[in-house]
Amino acid sequence: ITYLLFFLCPVMYFSEQVYYRLIDRPYGRIFYAIYHLNPVAMLVTAYRKTLLAPQPFVHDGISQAPIPLNWKLFGITAAMSVFTLWYGYRVFNKLKWRFVERV
């Protein structure tokens, strides 16, 4: 699943490409929100939006304005990341006595 999530994150393409391809379709905004629930996709988009100047995006020969960062989705991603950290730490502490230490 992690390997698939890395291919679905916008490292080599802009998040706007996904948005403008989905916006005309039924439930396009919902799919775009689900796409950004991928923590890696949202973090890459947030880094790009905060570190780089806004760049216009060309879709079907039409220049589109850049989409601002969705702080609601960013908050959900942050909450999911903290929950995953907490749950992983909890599971690790529960199972750490089963690990074999070899010297």
Side-chain angles (χ1 to χ4, degrees):
I1 293 174
T2 305
Y3 190 65
L4 178 64
L5 290 177
F6 279 116
F7 280 109
L8 293 176
C9 65
V11 174
M12 299 301 291
Y13 55 89
F14 289 108
S15 175
E16 283 86 356
Q17 286 177 313
V18 176
Y19 178 78
Y20 286 116
R21 291 193 192 279
L22 291 176
I23 196 66
D24 296 333
R25 298 181 183 184
Y27 307 108
R29 291 184 191 270
I30 295 171
F31 288 134
Y32 182 72
I34 291 171
Y35 167 76
H36 268 100
L37 287 179
N38 173 2
V40 177
M42 190 64 216
L43 291 176
V44 167
T45 302
Y47 276 121
R48 182 174 285 152
K49 299 254 183 225
T50 56
L51 296 177
L52 299 175
Q55 300 174 0
F57 173 72
V58 178
H59 176 67
D60 290 336
I62 300 170
S63 181
Q64 304 284 348
I67 301 170
L69 182 61
N70 189 336
W71 288 99
K72 182 180 176 183
L73 286 176
F74 185 73
I76 292 170
T77 301
M80 283 179 22
S81 298
V82 169
F83 174 76
T84 303
L85 175 69
W86 171 78
Y87 186 72
Y89 183 72
R90 184 175 167 217
V91 169
F92 172 76
N93 278 334
K94 185 177 180 180
L95 299 177
K96 70 181 176 183
W97 305 112
R98 294 183 188 177
F99 298 149
V100 177
E101 293 185 25
R102 296 181 183 171
V103 179

